[in-house]
Amino acid sequence: MRLQVAPEQAGERLDALLAEPLGSRSRAARLIEAGAVTVDGAAVAKRHKVAAGEVVEVDDGADAPPAPEDVGATVDFAVPYEDEHLLVVDKPAGLVVHPGKGNRTGTLAQALAGVAAGGEDGWRAGIVHRLDRDTSGLLVVAKSEEAHRRLKAALQRREVTRQYTALVEGVPPARSGTVDAPIGRDRRVRTRMSTDTDEGRHAVTHFELEQVLGQGGARFALLRVKLETGRTHQIRVHLQAIGHPVAGDPEYGTAGLLGLERQFLHAARLAFAHPFTGAPVDVESALPADLRRALEEAEGGPDRRR
């Protein structure tokens, strides 16, 4: 979709301008955040005030689900916990959680069609929270509208423990710490998230040092990381912001480090009270083979445990 801003539309916020042609302001905001909207060829924030004559282009199919016959590829994943209300999925690296721009087929949401349910968007039914494509590990998926509502509410109340294992470049100066810094689109590189932003949203990440490793002068730290909020790329952005990017991270760190083809980040534990029974659900996931190999590579030098 392509439109030119009329003189009477000048000064409107971009998301408000697109609300009517896209069906809702929330959908407009999602497409803007996904990078599917440009103004005069550049990605801008949803709060951008449009000017007369500017050309707005929208990939208005970026959030649309593919036709069922186009879903295609078989998706492999493990299910370490399941009952009548929900399931916990152990997602491998490389698997996209739901369809989006550039990833229309072969997603987890599509593989769970007919099983997962709940949420406003049918094309990602049941998805309560997500993981980046190249982050492996655990996420919870609802099987009904009520289960989705209750799990979302628990997540917002910070009653869901999401614990990650991350190997980072260098060693933090403290055995534990908290990064409390808003995250939004980077001021200069709009495809990246950053703490250097004009549109930051509250974000808090906690970490604890598990192990210090060395390799011929290079030093790494194995961290246990917990999310208090859930912003896009939050762990990766926060650790990069304190000078300790996730090992192998192609966007925020050093690609290919320790032979990695992705960031060393794994959602290792997911714990919460069952939304219907209140019984504890506590699931753990072991490091996948590629991360174990990278850890062995990092252990090539002297190490010490704390």
Side-chain angles (χ1 to χ4, degrees):
M1 183 176 71
R2 185 176 186 275
L3 59 89
Q4 188 168 34
V5 179
E8 63 270 19
Q9 295 172 315
E12 280 191 54
R13 279 176 53 126
L14 180 60
D15 55 353
L17 175 75
L18 294 175
E20 183 176 350
L22 290 177
S24 72
R25 190 163 176 169
S26 61
R27 185 185 179 212
R30 285 198 304 271
L31 286 167
I32 295 166
E33 290 294 325
V37 179
T38 60
V39 177
D40 285 346
V44 297
K46 62 185 178 182
R47 68 183 64 178
H48 170 78
K49 299 292 182 64
V50 297
E54 286 182 329
V55 175
V56 180
E57 293 185 277
V58 183
D59 178 3
D60 56 348
D63 62 344
E69 63 270 17
D70 293 332
V71 172
T74 300
V75 176
D76 294 320
F77 56 89
V79 181
Y81 177 89
E82 183 175 10
D83 63 27
E84 62 182 307
H85 300 292
L86 59 91
L87 65 159
V88 175
V89 171
D90 197 341
K91 185 187 85 68
L95 175 58
V96 176
V97 173
H98 57 68
K101 187 177 182 180
N103 296 288
R104 299 297 183 85
T105 64
T107 69
L108 177 64
Q110 292 163 331
L112 292 172
V115 176
E120 295 179 359
D121 301 310
W123 48 275
R124 54 177 177 182
I127 301 299
V128 178
H129 60 108
R130 60 181 292 275
L131 296 174
D132 296 338
R133 180 191 64 188
D134 289 326
T135 296
S136 52
L138 303 170
L139 69 160
V140 64
V141 179
K143 288 186 172 182
S144 69
E145 188 66 53
E146 182 61 18
H148 188 274
R149 185 188 68 77
R150 294 188 186 193
L151 286 166
K152 271 288 191 184
L155 200 66
Q156 290 166 358
R157 293 193 301 266
R158 300 174 185 172
E159 295 172 353
V160 178
T161 297
R162 290 171 290 168
Q163 180 179 303
Y164 294 73
T165 298
L167 186 71
V168 300
E169 299 181 43
V171 182
R175 294 180 61 182
S176 63
T178 296
V179 185
D180 184 345
I183 290 175
R185 293 212 172 266
D186 188 270
R187 287 190 176 99
R188 290 166 292 278
V189 184
R190 300 297 297 173
T191 57
R192 295 182 61 181
M193 307 305 289
S194 175
T195 56
D196 183 14
T197 180
D198 293 319
E199 51 195 74
R201 300 176 66 192
H202 179 60
V204 179
T205 304
H206 307 283
F207 68 86
E208 293 183 17
L209 182 62
E210 289 287 303
Q211 186 178 357
V212 175
L213 307 102
Q215 182 196 26
R219 285 165 69 77
F220 302 91
L222 190 67
L223 304 181
R224 182 170 65 245
V225 183
K226 289 185 179 181
L227 287 177
E228 188 171 310
T229 53
R231 306 305 175 203
T232 301
H233 298 176
Q234 179 173 319
I235 293 174
R236 300 163 64 190
V237 170
H238 270 174
L239 292 177
Q240 187 270 340
I242 63 171
H244 300 288
V246 176
D249 192 327
E251 188 70 35
Y252 303 100
T254 306
L257 198 63
L258 299 172
L260 287 160
E261 296 182 0
R262 54 141 173 158
Q263 63 267 12
F264 193 120
L265 187 60
H266 180 68
R269 179 173 174 244
L270 189 64
F272 53 91
H274 193 283
F276 290 90
T277 68
V281 177
D282 197 333
V283 184
E284 295 188 5
S285 171
L287 281 179
D290 64 328
L291 301 190
R292 292 199 305 271
R293 287 193 297 268
L295 197 58
E296 291 170 1
E297 182 75 15
E299 288 175 329
D303 72 10
R304 56 192 175 92
R305 297 178 186 273
R306 293 187 180 182

